[in-house]
Amino acid sequence: MTTTTPRKRKFFSFSRVQAIAWNTLTELVRLKVFYFLLLFALVIIGSSLFMIQFTFQQEFQVLKDASLGAMTIFTSLLAILATANLLPKDIEDRTLYTILAKPVPRFEYLVGKLLGVFLLLLISVICMSLVFVVVLWLRQTTVLAQVQAEFARSPEDLVVKVREVRAAGLTPAIFEGVTLIYIKACLLASLTLLISTFASSAIFSTIVAVVVYFIGHLQSTAREYWLADRNVTWLTRVFTALVSLIFPDLQLFNLVDDIVAGNPVATALFLKTCGLGCLYILFYTLAAQFIFVKKEL
């Protein structure tokens, strides 16, 4: 008589996570809000081409400001709205129970869901970046043609002008700004996932995530105001330290403003900001797992 030894379940299976992530991405792409927000961002980027034309430096700056600003708003809204509905929807249609009844650990379920949102955000950012780069490149090409026609008889001035146009137009720094926008959106998605693990509904998760979004943008200003007073109490210092630890300082991601203004951003500062965003993503994901494991379903 032969006995079959039960196969040991892997502690972590990338194939299971990949299947959940792909299924989540497929469901999210079907959401009407995705198309609405994407259309909104594309219209903003496209319409910026037809704004009142100033000097080419001002024109390029307005174009970058409008486009990167639209990308920031769109990805932040999409990250919150898409993530807030993940768990409530799966609980409502009982998909969650079907998945967890199979040998799928809760951690893999959460990571798969989050990766699905990250993929959605990545696709959105790539689409908007392509439109933005094409619009900016077309405008830069037009301005270069005008400059070459205007300074054709003055080669020295032509070289200087061409250099100025290229410095104000499409530069590698733009891609650093796009990277920061994507990491910020992923951070908001992981934060919203954490909130949804203990929230009672998708609306509650959305409202709390939006409130935290504003706290993240205002906390640096509030911290400077509170700590400016030399007589500040230790209780206030502890409170500000806790707020700084729990809530991300989203103002750090405003390096995009410096990039739009043409100010160089140090590589060390860029990498530090990216690393801090990734640390917050990891922290919120682990915290969400800690709560989700103990949650009664």
Side-chain angles (χ1 to χ4, degrees), residues 9 16 20 23 27 86-87 89-106 108-109 113 292 297:
R9 189 178 65 185
R16 291 196 294 257
I20 296 173
N23 185 63
E27 292 178 354
L86 288 179
L87 293 184
K89 182 177 178 300
D90 278 5
I91 292 175
E92 184 180 351
D93 58 18
R94 307 192 70 78
T95 306
L96 174 64
Y97 304 105
T98 305
I99 295 174
L100 296 183
K102 299 176 181 178
V104 178
R106 295 191 180 191
E108 290 182 3
Y109 171 79
K113 286 289 179 183
F292 191 58
L297 297 171

PDB file of all heavy atoms in Angstrom, residues 9 16 20 23 27 86-87 89-106 108-109 113 292 297:
ATOM      1  N   ARG A   9       2.965  23.584   0.709  1.00  0.00           N
ATOM      2  CA  ARG A   9       2.606  24.833   0.043  1.00  0.00           C
ATOM      3  C   ARG A   9       3.756  25.821   0.165  1.00  0.00           C
ATOM      4  O   ARG A   9       4.363  25.957   1.230  1.00  0.00           O
ATOM      5  CB  ARG A   9       1.354  25.422   0.695  1.00  0.00           C
ATOM      6  CG  ARG A   9       0.781  26.591  -0.053  1.00  0.00           C
ATOM      7  CD  ARG A   9      -0.471  27.097   0.609  1.00  0.00           C
ATOM      8  NE  ARG A   9      -0.199  27.634   1.925  1.00  0.00           N
ATOM      9  CZ  ARG A   9      -1.134  28.050   2.751  1.00  0.00           C
ATOM     10  NH1 ARG A   9      -2.403  27.971   2.415  1.00  0.00           N
ATOM     11  NH2 ARG A   9      -0.825  28.516   3.939  1.00  0.00           N
ATOM     12  N   ARG A  16       1.089  32.931  -8.122  1.00  0.00           N
ATOM     13  CA  ARG A  16      -0.236  33.256  -7.550  1.00  0.00           C
ATOM     14  C   ARG A  16      -0.426  34.765  -7.454  1.00  0.00           C
ATOM     15  O   ARG A  16      -1.493  35.298  -7.775  1.00  0.00           O
ATOM     16  CB  ARG A  16      -0.378  32.608  -6.167  1.00  0.00           C
ATOM     17  CG  ARG A  16      -0.488  31.090  -6.190  1.00  0.00           C
ATOM     18  CD  ARG A  16      -1.003  30.576  -4.857  1.00  0.00           C
ATOM     19  NE  ARG A  16      -0.063  30.802  -3.770  1.00  0.00           N
ATOM     20  CZ  ARG A  16       0.721  29.856  -3.248  1.00  0.00           C
ATOM     21  NH1 ARG A  16       0.677  28.627  -3.729  1.00  0.00           N
ATOM     22  NH2 ARG A  16       1.551  30.132  -2.262  1.00  0.00           N
ATOM     23  N   ILE A  20      -3.304  37.128  -9.413  1.00  0.00           N
ATOM     24  CA  ILE A  20      -4.194  38.083  -8.735  1.00  0.00           C
ATOM     25  C   ILE A  20      -3.968  39.500  -9.271  1.00  0.00           C
ATOM     26  O   ILE A  20      -4.923  40.249  -9.507  1.00  0.00           O
ATOM     27  CB  ILE A  20      -3.954  38.042  -7.206  1.00  0.00           C
ATOM     28  CG1 ILE A  20      -4.334  36.667  -6.654  1.00  0.00           C
ATOM     29  CG2 ILE A  20      -4.751  39.127  -6.497  1.00  0.00           C
ATOM     30  CD1 ILE A  20      -3.976  36.471  -5.198  1.00  0.00           C
ATOM     31  N   ASN A  23      -5.491  39.837 -12.764  1.00  0.00           N
ATOM     32  CA  ASN A  23      -6.957  39.881 -12.679  1.00  0.00           C
ATOM     33  C   ASN A  23      -7.437  41.241 -12.143  1.00  0.00           C
ATOM     34  O   ASN A  23      -8.428  41.799 -12.628  1.00  0.00           O
ATOM     35  CB  ASN A  23      -7.439  38.757 -11.768  1.00  0.00           C
ATOM     36  CG  ASN A  23      -8.949  38.668 -11.733  1.00  0.00           C
ATOM     37  OD1 ASN A  23      -9.586  38.410 -12.753  1.00  0.00           O
ATOM     38  ND2 ASN A  23      -9.533  38.894 -10.569  1.00  0.00           N
ATOM     39  N   GLU A  27      -9.787  44.070 -14.095  1.00  0.00           N
ATOM     40  CA  GLU A  27     -11.018  44.644 -13.531  1.00  0.00           C
ATOM     41  C   GLU A  27     -10.947  46.168 -13.472  1.00  0.00           C
ATOM     42  O   GLU A  27     -11.926  46.858 -13.760  1.00  0.00           O
ATOM     43  CB  GLU A  27     -11.248  44.087 -12.127  1.00  0.00           C
ATOM     44  CG  GLU A  27     -11.595  42.603 -12.107  1.00  0.00           C
ATOM     45  CD  GLU A  27     -11.760  42.086 -10.688  1.00  0.00           C
ATOM     46  OE1 GLU A  27     -11.492  42.865  -9.751  1.00  0.00           O
ATOM     47  OE2 GLU A  27     -12.142  40.920 -10.520  1.00  0.00           O
ATOM     48  N   LEU A  86     -11.183  48.031  -3.810  1.00  0.00           N
ATOM     49  CA  LEU A  86     -10.717  46.656  -4.015  1.00  0.00           C
ATOM     50  C   LEU A  86     -11.330  45.668  -3.022  1.00  0.00           C
ATOM     51  O   LEU A  86     -12.015  44.719  -3.417  1.00  0.00           O
ATOM     52  CB  LEU A  86      -9.187  46.610  -3.918  1.00  0.00           C
ATOM     53  CG  LEU A  86      -8.391  47.229  -5.078  1.00  0.00           C
ATOM     54  CD1 LEU A  86      -6.910  47.110  -4.806  1.00  0.00           C
ATOM     55  CD2 LEU A  86      -8.755  46.551  -6.387  1.00  0.00           C
ATOM     56  N   LEU A  87     -11.055  45.875  -1.725  1.00  0.00           N
ATOM     57  CA  LEU A  87     -11.533  44.923  -0.716  1.00  0.00           C
ATOM     58  C   LEU A  87     -13.059  44.922  -0.587  1.00  0.00           C
ATOM     59  O   LEU A  87     -13.674  43.838  -0.550  1.00  0.00           O
ATOM     60  CB  LEU A  87     -10.875  45.220   0.636  1.00  0.00           C
ATOM     61  CG  LEU A  87      -9.369  44.977   0.705  1.00  0.00           C
ATOM     62  CD1 LEU A  87      -8.857  45.223   2.120  1.00  0.00           C
ATOM     63  CD2 LEU A  87      -9.031  43.568   0.279  1.00  0.00           C
ATOM     64  N   LYS A  89     -15.340  45.541  -2.742  1.00  0.00           N
ATOM     65  CA  LYS A  89     -15.951  44.894  -3.912  1.00  0.00           C
ATOM     66  C   LYS A  89     -15.793  43.378  -3.833  1.00  0.00           C
ATOM     67  O   LYS A  89     -16.733  42.625  -4.114  1.00  0.00           O
ATOM     68  CB  LYS A  89     -15.308  45.434  -5.190  1.00  0.00           C
ATOM     69  CG  LYS A  89     -15.901  44.857  -6.473  1.00  0.00           C
ATOM     70  CD  LYS A  89     -15.263  45.480  -7.691  1.00  0.00           C
ATOM     71  CE  LYS A  89     -15.840  44.862  -8.970  1.00  0.00           C
ATOM     72  NZ  LYS A  89     -15.618  43.420  -9.041  1.00  0.00           N
ATOM     73  N   ASP A  90     -14.595  42.914  -3.461  1.00  0.00           N
ATOM     74  CA  ASP A  90     -14.363  41.469  -3.374  1.00  0.00           C
ATOM     75  C   ASP A  90     -15.183  40.832  -2.254  1.00  0.00           C
ATOM     76  O   ASP A  90     -15.592  39.672  -2.355  1.00  0.00           O
ATOM     77  CB  ASP A  90     -12.874  41.196  -3.147  1.00  0.00           C
ATOM     78  CG  ASP A  90     -12.100  41.248  -4.454  1.00  0.00           C
ATOM     79  OD1 ASP A  90     -12.721  41.579  -5.491  1.00  0.00           O
ATOM     80  OD2 ASP A  90     -10.891  40.978  -4.447  1.00  0.00           O
ATOM     81  N   ILE A  91     -15.411  41.590  -1.165  1.00  0.00           N
ATOM     82  CA  ILE A  91     -16.240  41.067  -0.072  1.00  0.00           C
ATOM     83  C   ILE A  91     -17.708  41.028  -0.505  1.00  0.00           C
ATOM     84  O   ILE A  91     -18.431  40.069  -0.209  1.00  0.00           O
ATOM     85  CB  ILE A  91     -16.056  41.940   1.193  1.00  0.00           C
ATOM     86  CG1 ILE A  91     -14.643  41.769   1.744  1.00  0.00           C
ATOM     87  CG2 ILE A  91     -17.089  41.569   2.255  1.00  0.00           C
ATOM     88  CD1 ILE A  91     -14.321  42.672   2.913  1.00  0.00           C
ATOM     89  N   GLU A  92     -18.127  42.067  -1.216  1.00  0.00           N
ATOM     90  CA  GLU A  92     -19.534  42.141  -1.633  1.00  0.00           C
ATOM     91  C   GLU A  92     -19.905  41.023  -2.612  1.00  0.00           C
ATOM     92  O   GLU A  92     -20.957  40.393  -2.471  1.00  0.00           O
ATOM     93  CB  GLU A  92     -19.786  43.504  -2.281  1.00  0.00           C
ATOM     94  CG  GLU A  92     -21.238  43.725  -2.666  1.00  0.00           C
ATOM     95  CD  GLU A  92     -21.451  45.090  -3.303  1.00  0.00           C
ATOM     96  OE1 GLU A  92     -20.513  45.910  -3.289  1.00  0.00           O
ATOM     97  OE2 GLU A  92     -22.556  45.330  -3.814  1.00  0.00           O
ATOM     98  N   ASP A  93     -19.043  40.781  -3.597  1.00  0.00           N
ATOM     99  CA  ASP A  93     -19.375  39.702  -4.558  1.00  0.00           C
ATOM    100  C   ASP A  93     -18.777  38.355  -4.149  1.00  0.00           C
ATOM    101  O   ASP A  93     -18.786  37.412  -4.956  1.00  0.00           O
ATOM    102  CB  ASP A  93     -18.941  40.081  -5.969  1.00  0.00           C
ATOM    103  CG  ASP A  93     -17.442  40.378  -6.057  1.00  0.00           C
ATOM    104  OD1 ASP A  93     -16.707  39.964  -5.150  1.00  0.00           O
ATOM    105  OD2 ASP A  93     -17.020  41.012  -7.026  1.00  0.00           O
ATOM    106  N   ARG A  94     -18.211  38.286  -2.929  1.00  0.00           N
ATOM    107  CA  ARG A  94     -17.707  37.048  -2.319  1.00  0.00           C
ATOM    108  C   ARG A  94     -16.517  36.454  -3.070  1.00  0.00           C
ATOM    109  O   ARG A  94     -16.174  35.287  -2.881  1.00  0.00           O
ATOM    110  CB  ARG A  94     -18.832  36.006  -2.198  1.00  0.00           C
ATOM    111  CG  ARG A  94     -20.075  36.534  -1.483  1.00  0.00           C
ATOM    112  CD  ARG A  94     -21.032  35.424  -1.121  1.00  0.00           C
ATOM    113  NE  ARG A  94     -20.507  34.567  -0.056  1.00  0.00           N
ATOM    114  CZ  ARG A  94     -20.497  34.872   1.229  1.00  0.00           C
ATOM    115  NH1 ARG A  94     -20.981  36.042   1.643  1.00  0.00           N
ATOM    116  NH2 ARG A  94     -20.023  34.035   2.113  1.00  0.00           N
ATOM    117  N   THR A  95     -15.883  37.251  -3.909  1.00  0.00           N
ATOM    118  CA  THR A  95     -14.670  36.775  -4.585  1.00  0.00           C
ATOM    119  C   THR A  95     -13.544  36.542  -3.588  1.00  0.00           C
ATOM    120  O   THR A  95     -12.748  35.606  -3.730  1.00  0.00           O
ATOM    121  CB  THR A  95     -14.217  37.820  -5.636  1.00  0.00           C
ATOM    122  OG1 THR A  95     -15.308  38.105  -6.500  1.00  0.00           O
ATOM    123  CG2 THR A  95     -13.060  37.303  -6.455  1.00  0.00           C
ATOM    124  N   LEU A  96     -13.516  37.379  -2.571  1.00  0.00           N
ATOM    125  CA  LEU A  96     -12.471  37.262  -1.544  1.00  0.00           C
ATOM    126  C   LEU A  96     -12.501  35.895  -0.874  1.00  0.00           C
ATOM    127  O   LEU A  96     -11.462  35.251  -0.682  1.00  0.00           O
ATOM    128  CB  LEU A  96     -12.657  38.376  -0.510  1.00  0.00           C
ATOM    129  CG  LEU A  96     -11.744  38.331   0.708  1.00  0.00           C
ATOM    130  CD1 LEU A  96     -10.296  38.523   0.304  1.00  0.00           C
ATOM    131  CD2 LEU A  96     -12.140  39.396   1.720  1.00  0.00           C
ATOM    132  N   TYR A  97     -13.710  35.410  -0.533  1.00  0.00           N
ATOM    133  CA  TYR A  97     -13.831  34.119   0.161  1.00  0.00           C
ATOM    134  C   TYR A  97     -13.430  32.974  -0.767  1.00  0.00           C
ATOM    135  O   TYR A  97     -12.841  31.984  -0.327  1.00  0.00           O
ATOM    136  CB  TYR A  97     -15.266  33.934   0.644  1.00  0.00           C
ATOM    137  CG  TYR A  97     -15.733  35.061   1.533  1.00  0.00           C
ATOM    138  CD1 TYR A  97     -16.618  36.030   1.055  1.00  0.00           C
ATOM    139  CD2 TYR A  97     -15.265  35.194   2.834  1.00  0.00           C
ATOM    140  CE1 TYR A  97     -17.041  37.080   1.847  1.00  0.00           C
ATOM    141  CE2 TYR A  97     -15.670  36.250   3.649  1.00  0.00           C
ATOM    142  CZ  TYR A  97     -16.557  37.193   3.137  1.00  0.00           C
ATOM    143  OH  TYR A  97     -16.945  38.228   3.923  1.00  0.00           O
ATOM    144  N   THR A  98     -13.749  33.120  -2.047  1.00  0.00           N
ATOM    145  CA  THR A  98     -13.374  32.078  -3.015  1.00  0.00           C
ATOM    146  C   THR A  98     -11.856  31.975  -3.148  1.00  0.00           C
ATOM    147  O   THR A  98     -11.292  30.874  -3.201  1.00  0.00           O
ATOM    148  CB  THR A  98     -13.981  32.403  -4.397  1.00  0.00           C
ATOM    149  OG1 THR A  98     -15.394  32.560  -4.247  1.00  0.00           O
ATOM    150  CG2 THR A  98     -13.703  31.304  -5.391  1.00  0.00           C
ATOM    151  N   ILE A  99     -11.201  33.131  -3.167  1.00  0.00           N
ATOM    152  CA  ILE A  99      -9.735  33.134  -3.313  1.00  0.00           C
ATOM    153  C   ILE A  99      -9.066  32.588  -2.057  1.00  0.00           C
ATOM    154  O   ILE A  99      -8.173  31.734  -2.126  1.00  0.00           O
ATOM    155  CB  ILE A  99      -9.235  34.562  -3.610  1.00  0.00           C
ATOM    156  CG1 ILE A  99      -9.765  35.035  -4.958  1.00  0.00           C
ATOM    157  CG2 ILE A  99      -7.712  34.617  -3.601  1.00  0.00           C
ATOM    158  CD1 ILE A  99      -9.433  36.477  -5.272  1.00  0.00           C
ATOM    159  N   LEU A 100      -9.528  33.059  -0.889  1.00  0.00           N
ATOM    160  CA  LEU A 100      -8.881  32.642   0.359  1.00  0.00           C
ATOM    161  C   LEU A 100      -9.207  31.191   0.714  1.00  0.00           C
ATOM    162  O   LEU A 100      -8.506  30.579   1.533  1.00  0.00           O
ATOM    163  CB  LEU A 100      -9.300  33.568   1.502  1.00  0.00           C
ATOM    164  CG  LEU A 100      -8.855  35.032   1.362  1.00  0.00           C
ATOM    165  CD1 LEU A 100      -9.251  35.831   2.587  1.00  0.00           C
ATOM    166  CD2 LEU A 100      -7.350  35.108   1.158  1.00  0.00           C
ATOM    167  N   ALA A 101     -10.291  30.642   0.139  1.00  0.00           N
ATOM    168  CA  ALA A 101     -10.602  29.218   0.376  1.00  0.00           C
ATOM    169  C   ALA A 101      -9.573  28.325  -0.305  1.00  0.00           C
ATOM    170  O   ALA A 101      -9.372  27.172   0.101  1.00  0.00           O
ATOM    171  CB  ALA A 101     -12.002  28.904  -0.151  1.00  0.00           C
ATOM    172  N   LYS A 102      -8.932  28.848  -1.336  1.00  0.00           N
ATOM    173  CA  LYS A 102      -7.846  28.118  -1.995  1.00  0.00           C
ATOM    174  C   LYS A 102      -6.550  28.363  -1.210  1.00  0.00           C
ATOM    175  O   LYS A 102      -6.502  29.249  -0.356  1.00  0.00           O
ATOM    176  CB  LYS A 102      -7.712  28.613  -3.446  1.00  0.00           C
ATOM    177  CG  LYS A 102      -8.971  28.382  -4.268  1.00  0.00           C
ATOM    178  CD  LYS A 102      -8.835  28.972  -5.650  1.00  0.00           C
ATOM    179  CE  LYS A 102     -10.118  28.755  -6.445  1.00  0.00           C
ATOM    180  NZ  LYS A 102     -10.053  29.360  -7.786  1.00  0.00           N
ATOM    181  N   PRO A 103      -5.521  27.600  -1.493  1.00  0.00           N
ATOM    182  CA  PRO A 103      -4.260  27.804  -0.740  1.00  0.00           C
ATOM    183  C   PRO A 103      -3.553  29.093  -1.133  1.00  0.00           C
ATOM    184  O   PRO A 103      -2.466  29.097  -1.704  1.00  0.00           O
ATOM    185  CB  PRO A 103      -3.438  26.564  -1.117  1.00  0.00           C
ATOM    186  CG  PRO A 103      -3.974  26.133  -2.435  1.00  0.00           C
ATOM    187  CD  PRO A 103      -5.426  26.456  -2.416  1.00  0.00           C
ATOM    188  N   VAL A 104      -4.219  30.202  -0.851  1.00  0.00           N
ATOM    189  CA  VAL A 104      -3.644  31.517  -1.135  1.00  0.00           C
ATOM    190  C   VAL A 104      -3.542  32.298   0.175  1.00  0.00           C
ATOM    191  O   VAL A 104      -4.569  32.664   0.759  1.00  0.00           O
ATOM    192  CB  VAL A 104      -4.509  32.312  -2.143  1.00  0.00           C
ATOM    193  CG1 VAL A 104      -3.915  33.691  -2.383  1.00  0.00           C
ATOM    194  CG2 VAL A 104      -4.631  31.556  -3.446  1.00  0.00           C
ATOM    195  N   PRO A 105      -2.346  32.534   0.682  1.00  0.00           N
ATOM    196  CA  PRO A 105      -2.195  33.323   1.911  1.00  0.00           C
ATOM    197  C   PRO A 105      -2.725  34.741   1.724  1.00  0.00           C
ATOM    198  O   PRO A 105      -2.728  35.280   0.610  1.00  0.00           O
ATOM    199  CB  PRO A 105      -0.679  33.330   2.148  1.00  0.00           C
ATOM    200  CG  PRO A 105      -0.150  32.185   1.353  1.00  0.00           C
ATOM    201  CD  PRO A 105      -1.057  32.059   0.163  1.00  0.00           C
ATOM    202  N   ARG A 106      -3.149  35.322   2.820  1.00  0.00           N
ATOM    203  CA  ARG A 106      -3.707  36.676   2.741  1.00  0.00           C
ATOM    204  C   ARG A 106      -2.660  37.690   2.270  1.00  0.00           C
ATOM    205  O   ARG A 106      -2.997  38.683   1.634  1.00  0.00           O
ATOM    206  CB  ARG A 106      -4.271  37.090   4.111  1.00  0.00           C
ATOM    207  CG  ARG A 106      -5.455  36.253   4.547  1.00  0.00           C
ATOM    208  CD  ARG A 106      -6.138  36.861   5.763  1.00  0.00           C
ATOM    209  NE  ARG A 106      -7.286  36.043   6.173  1.00  0.00           N
ATOM    210  CZ  ARG A 106      -8.193  36.422   7.060  1.00  0.00           C
ATOM    211  NH1 ARG A 106      -8.090  37.611   7.641  1.00  0.00           N
ATOM    212  NH2 ARG A 106      -9.202  35.630   7.384  1.00  0.00           N
ATOM    213  N   GLU A 108      -0.292  37.201   0.071  1.00  0.00           N
ATOM    214  CA  GLU A 108      -0.217  37.151  -1.393  1.00  0.00           C
ATOM    215  C   GLU A 108      -1.423  37.846  -2.024  1.00  0.00           C
ATOM    216  O   GLU A 108      -1.305  38.493  -3.065  1.00  0.00           O
ATOM    217  CB  GLU A 108      -0.148  35.699  -1.861  1.00  0.00           C
ATOM    218  CG  GLU A 108       1.167  35.021  -1.519  1.00  0.00           C
ATOM    219  CD  GLU A 108       1.221  33.604  -2.048  1.00  0.00           C
ATOM    220  OE1 GLU A 108       0.267  33.174  -2.717  1.00  0.00           O
ATOM    221  OE2 GLU A 108       2.220  32.922  -1.783  1.00  0.00           O
ATOM    222  N   TYR A 109      -2.579  37.692  -1.390  1.00  0.00           N
ATOM    223  CA  TYR A 109      -3.780  38.355  -1.907  1.00  0.00           C
ATOM    224  C   TYR A 109      -3.589  39.880  -1.899  1.00  0.00           C
ATOM    225  O   TYR A 109      -3.853  40.557  -2.906  1.00  0.00           O
ATOM    226  CB  TYR A 109      -4.988  37.960  -1.062  1.00  0.00           C
ATOM    227  CG  TYR A 109      -6.230  38.747  -1.358  1.00  0.00           C
ATOM    228  CD1 TYR A 109      -7.020  38.456  -2.466  1.00  0.00           C
ATOM    229  CD2 TYR A 109      -6.603  39.810  -0.535  1.00  0.00           C
ATOM    230  CE1 TYR A 109      -8.154  39.193  -2.742  1.00  0.00           C
ATOM    231  CE2 TYR A 109      -7.736  40.547  -0.807  1.00  0.00           C
ATOM    232  CZ  TYR A 109      -8.504  40.242  -1.911  1.00  0.00           C
ATOM    233  OH  TYR A 109      -9.614  40.985  -2.187  1.00  0.00           O
ATOM    234  N   LYS A 113      -3.197  42.338  -5.197  1.00  0.00           N
ATOM    235  CA  LYS A 113      -4.115  43.461  -5.424  1.00  0.00           C
ATOM    236  C   LYS A 113      -3.339  44.767  -5.606  1.00  0.00           C
ATOM    237  O   LYS A 113      -3.641  45.579  -6.497  1.00  0.00           O
ATOM    238  CB  LYS A 113      -5.084  43.579  -4.234  1.00  0.00           C
ATOM    239  CG  LYS A 113      -6.156  42.504  -4.190  1.00  0.00           C
ATOM    240  CD  LYS A 113      -7.154  42.753  -5.308  1.00  0.00           C
ATOM    241  CE  LYS A 113      -8.237  41.721  -5.350  1.00  0.00           C
ATOM    242  NZ  LYS A 113      -9.168  41.919  -6.474  1.00  0.00           N
ATOM    243  N   PHE A 292      -4.951  42.894   8.233  1.00  0.00           N
ATOM    244  CA  PHE A 292      -5.793  42.012   7.420  1.00  0.00           C
ATOM    245  C   PHE A 292      -5.749  40.562   7.913  1.00  0.00           C
ATOM    246  O   PHE A 292      -6.748  39.842   7.835  1.00  0.00           O
ATOM    247  CB  PHE A 292      -5.316  42.088   5.964  1.00  0.00           C
ATOM    248  CG  PHE A 292      -6.247  41.432   4.981  1.00  0.00           C
ATOM    249  CD1 PHE A 292      -7.570  41.848   4.873  1.00  0.00           C
ATOM    250  CD2 PHE A 292      -5.808  40.402   4.165  1.00  0.00           C
ATOM    251  CE1 PHE A 292      -8.429  41.247   3.964  1.00  0.00           C
ATOM    252  CE2 PHE A 292      -6.660  39.804   3.255  1.00  0.00           C
ATOM    253  CZ  PHE A 292      -7.972  40.224   3.157  1.00  0.00           C
ATOM    254  N   LEU A 297     -13.382  37.538   8.653  1.00  0.00           N
ATOM    255  CA  LEU A 297     -14.082  37.652   7.371  1.00  0.00           C
ATOM    256  C   LEU A 297     -15.251  36.682   7.315  1.00  0.00           C
ATOM    257  O   LEU A 297     -15.229  35.642   7.935  1.00  0.00           O
ATOM    258  CB  LEU A 297     -13.105  37.389   6.217  1.00  0.00           C
ATOM    259  CG  LEU A 297     -11.942  38.387   6.102  1.00  0.00           C
ATOM    260  CD1 LEU A 297     -10.943  37.901   5.074  1.00  0.00           C
ATOM    261  CD2 LEU A 297     -12.474  39.757   5.704  1.00  0.00           C
TER     262      LEU A 297
END
